[in-house]
Amino acid sequence: AQSVSQHNHHVILSEAASLELGCNYSYGGTVNLFWYVQYPGQHLQLLLKYFSGDPLVKGIKGFEAEFIKSKFSFNLRKPSVQWSDTAEYFCAVNAYTGRRALTFGSGTRLQVQP
Amino acid sequence: DAGVIQSPRHEVTEMGQEVTLRCKPISGHDYLFWYRQTMMRGLELLIYFNNNVPIDDSGMPEDRFSAKMPNASFSTLKIQPSEPRDSAVYFCASSLRAAAGKYYEQFFGPGTRLTVL
């Protein structure tokens, strides 16, 4: 069964600091990868997604992620965070097994201090 | 677009009562998913439907949980009888049918926060 690991459970940064959130998945075949964000009290929104092609994916609000197949990783990055980036971030994977559901990581809570 | 609509947004009930959560997916979407979010277990898939047919219900915790999708624009998740450990946020999501080599993103509703006393 596929699984997703997010090793950083809680990250605290100051505004303008750089961000990198780790995501590793366990599945040896072809995968689709996603990062979702959940702002306080809101529903999940898609930040970016990877299907194929360029392993460096750019998303909304200045976020990007890099797919490294050899490391089974899909880390999320942002060069300079803002207070408004305070939220919980979820990595998710869908493997090409015919099952259409996403498997989510446990989430990383990001707190940006002004 | 209205997005995925869920009701109610908040539900407080007493142990033993029946709870029904409702979801209206985005028009034209073929897949509908029910997730549960708790502090302890994170986001868990409960069940998903394709063209109104349940495909995978392996995440449904036990027989107290049931889900239906009588038509393309409506789904319910029912808990009977409810227990305090069912307290969580329940999300509904929908997506388009995946094309070859792709998997379309899931669009999430605002969730229903359920509290069972």
Side-chain angles (χ1 to χ4, degrees):
Chain A
Q2 56 195 284
S3 65
V4 180
S5 297
Q6 292 182 244
H7 305 294
N8 314 106
H9 297 294
H10 191 190
V11 173
I12 301 174
L13 295 173
S14 299
E15 276 193 313
S18 64
L19 170 73
E20 180 159 3
L21 301 182
C23 172
N24 289 91
Y25 64 93
S26 65
Y27 182 74
T30 304
V31 293
N32 294 145
L33 297 157
F34 305 81
W35 275 97
Y36 281 84
V37 61
Q38 186 177 29
Y39 297 104
Q42 297 189 24
H43 60 285
L44 280 81
Q45 303 170 44
L46 184 70
L47 270 182
L48 47 79
K49 59 192 176 189
Y50 172 80
F51 290 149
S52 62
D54 189 344
L56 185 60
V57 179
K58 294 193 183 298
I60 61 171
K61 304 186 181 186
F63 286 91
E64 64 179 32
E66 185 174 13
F67 171 52
I68 303 179
K69 189 174 182 179
S70 60
K71 295 185 178 180
F72 299 91
S73 70
F74 190 55
N75 292 354
L76 181 70
R77 299 195 292 247
K78 185 171 184 178
S80 175
V81 294
Q82 301 172 317
W83 177 79
S84 58
D85 293 324
T86 294
E88 190 149 14
Y89 293 80
F90 294 90
C91 182
V93 62
N94 173 255
Y96 279 28
T97 60
R99 190 170 185 264
R100 292 299 178 205
L102 293 173
T103 300
F104 283 87
S106 55
T108 297
R109 181 167 296 181
L110 172 65
Q111 185 179 346
V112 180
Q113 296 176 332
Chain B
D1 287 338
V4 176
I5 299 172
Q6 290 186 249
S7 65
R9 293 292 306 277
H10 301 272
E11 177 81 30
V12 180
T13 190
E14 293 188 344
M15 183 173 63
Q17 297 298 306
E18 177 179 295
V19 174
T20 299
L21 311 181
R22 297 172 177 80
C23 174
K24 177 179 169 55
I26 293 173
S27 177
H29 281 193
D30 303 276
Y31 286 86
L32 184 139
F33 306 82
W34 282 101
Y35 290 91
R36 178 172 66 176
Q37 185 180 36
T38 61
M39 289 291 291
M40 292 297 294
R41 300 174 67 90
L43 266 164
E44 304 174 278
L45 175 73
L46 298 177
I47 185 172
Y48 77 93
F49 295 83
N50 177 213
N51 291 326
N52 314 338
V53 177
I55 302 300
D56 185 344
D57 65 354
S58 59
M60 296 286 263
E62 46 197 276
D63 292 345
R64 298 185 297 107
F65 285 69
S66 62
K68 294 182 180 180
M69 192 165 185
N71 57 62
S73 59
F74 184 65
S75 176
T76 59
L77 178 68
K78 187 177 292 186
I79 309 172
Q80 167 63 21
S82 59
E83 296 182 5
R85 60 193 168 115
D86 301 330
S87 297
V89 180
Y90 291 81
F91 287 102
C92 177
S94 69
S95 75
L96 287 167
R97 177 173 56 87
K102 276 193 174 183
Y103 176 73
Y104 290 109
E105 68 179 276
Q106 293 180 20
F107 292 83
F108 282 77
T112 295
R113 183 174 294 276
L114 173 64
T115 303
V116 183
L117 303 174

